[in-house]
């Protein structure tokens, strides 16, 4: 079973979202365990302060190192990156990270324990990135107000890759990005809707032809919308 621990100042954000769809099913099936923890639980002061002003001045507040190190130590048994077991990943979500991809999701799906640290405010004390985290991940070149939605994106994309999480074992094999290109277009009934027809070949029952059409349509769509994906192939 994959254990996922999320460290956040908004644990409530995750309560409902982990209770839908594939994630709910995977949790019920014992494939994954997802827990959201309040960073404030690892503060030692009366007011449970998790942030402070930046050294050197400037706007905004910075998440303090101490509660984050304490949280990771409580959840993993270690407070230094070099001490974690190989199958433990401690991930900081931030716009400064490596850009998330299906390849990274696949890599993470082989882990036994994933701790997700949700950044906030103007940033996180850099010593967290320096000594604690194994991966710093961004979900794209835009700025969120916090790492929580990014953590959820990582959880969703990793959990659906776990063996048994999807209805059939092959569902995750033939989809966008698994072969480095976009997915082919899908249609269902009716065969004609507001004058728009489903391509004849899909109604033909000729599986070889359908296969060819799908491959071709996927490539065309990739060339049009994401030519960058075809550059090295
Ligand atoms: N926190 C703020 N922006 C983010 C992003 N793009 N990815 C991950 N974490 C973030």
């Amino acid at each position: 079973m994959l254990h996922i621990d999320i460290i956040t100042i908004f644990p409530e954000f995750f309560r409902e979202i982990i209770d839908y769809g594939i994630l709910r099913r995977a949790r019920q099936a014992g494939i994954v365990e997802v827990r959201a923890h309040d960073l404030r639980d690892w503060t030692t002061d009366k007011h449970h302060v998790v942030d402070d002003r930046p050294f050197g001045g400037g706007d905004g507040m910075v998440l303090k190192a101490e509660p984050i190190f304490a949280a990771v130590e409580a959840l993993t048994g270690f407070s230094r990156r070099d001490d974690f077991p190989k199958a433990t990943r401690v991930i900081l979500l931030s716009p400064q990270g490596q850009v998330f991809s299906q390849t990274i999701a696949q890599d993470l799906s082989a882990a036994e324990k994933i701790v997700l640290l949700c950044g906030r405010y103007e940033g996180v004390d850099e010593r967290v990135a320096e000594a604690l985290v194994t991966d710093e991940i961004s979900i794209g070149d835009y700025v969120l107000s916090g790492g929580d939605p990014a953590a959820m994106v990582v959880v969703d994309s990793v959990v659906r890759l776990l063996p048994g999480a999807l209805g059939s074992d092959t569902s995750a094999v033939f989809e966008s990005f698994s072969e480095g290109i976009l997915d082919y277009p899908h249609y269902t009934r009716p065969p004609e809707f507001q004058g728009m027809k489903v391509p004849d070949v899909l109604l033909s029952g000729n599986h070889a032809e359908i296969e060819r059409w799908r491959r071709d349509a996927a490539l065309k769509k990739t060339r049009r919308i994401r030519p960058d994906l075809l550059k090295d192939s």
Side-chain angles (χ1 to χ4, degrees):
M1 177 181 346
L2 170 61
H3 299 268
I4 300 178
D5 290 290
I6 302 164
I7 301 170
T8 171
I9 60 167
F10 298 132
E12 291 301 319
F13 173 84
F14 296 92
R15 297 259 182 270
E16 293 242 335
I17 210 167
I18 63 173
D19 218 19
Y20 287 92
I22 284 162
L23 188 46
R24 178 192 174 98
R25 259 212 344 248
R27 289 173 57 230
Q28 287 174 341
I31 293 167
V32 67
E33 176 195 59
V34 183
R35 294 183 300 178
H37 309 270
D38 192 338
L39 179 61
R40 292 178 206 283
D41 292 347
W42 285 284
T43 54
T44 50
D45 62 305
K46 196 169 88 192
H47 299 290
H48 303 292
V49 175
V50 292
D51 59 344
D52 207 340
R53 285 171 312 190
F55 277 127
D59 289 339
M61 300 291 269
V62 175
L63 280 185
K64 292 159 67 65
E66 299 106 304
I68 296 177
F69 273 73
V72 170
E73 177 156 23
L75 295 169
T76 67
F78 304 97
S79 59
R80 280 289 183 281
R81 167 174 47 231
D82 300 338
D83 299 331
F84 298 137
K86 226 174 132 45
T88 294
R89 307 287 283 265
V90 177
I91 298 168
L92 174 63
L93 286 315
S94 98
Q96 280 76 46
Q98 186 184 13
V99 178
F100 193 55
S101 65
Q102 189 68 13
T103 306
I104 298 176
Q106 265 150 5
D107 179 39
L108 292 178
S109 71
E112 285 167 18
K113 188 171 189 68
I114 297 176
V115 178
L116 295 162
L117 304 171
C118 303
R120 272 281 135 192
Y121 308 113
E122 298 308 303
V124 178
D125 190 301
E126 188 63 18
R127 286 164 288 195
V128 169
E130 265 171 36
L132 191 60
V133 308
T134 59
D135 309 80
E136 187 167 358
I137 290 178
S138 162
I139 59 162
D141 291 337
Y142 41 84
V143 180
L144 303 167
S145 50
D148 304 75
M152 208 47 236
V153 166
V154 171
V155 170
D156 189 290
S157 57
V158 169
V159 168
R160 60 192 297 289
L161 292 175
L162 298 174
L166 301 182
S168 102
D169 275 342
T170 54
S171 322
V173 177
F174 304 102
E175 61 186 8
S176 290
F177 302 113
S178 58
E179 293 180 277
I181 63 172
L182 303 183
D183 200 3
Y184 55 78
H186 302 258
Y187 297 88
T188 185
R189 290 187 294 177
E192 185 171 343
F193 170 68
Q194 295 188 352
M196 296 176 282
K197 284 188 171 159
V198 173
D200 285 337
V201 59
L202 298 181
L203 312 175
S204 70
N206 182 332
H207 293 291
E209 283 283 323
I210 290 170
E211 194 66 28
R212 225 183 341 264
W213 180 89
R214 284 180 168 165
R215 180 86 200 156
D216 187 54
L219 277 170
K220 274 191 188 135
K221 191 156 188 172
T222 306
R223 208 170 290 128
R224 182 159 54 86
I225 293 171
R226 293 291 307 276
D228 55 299
L229 294 176
L230 295 172
K231 258 191 209 126
D232 313 313
S233 53

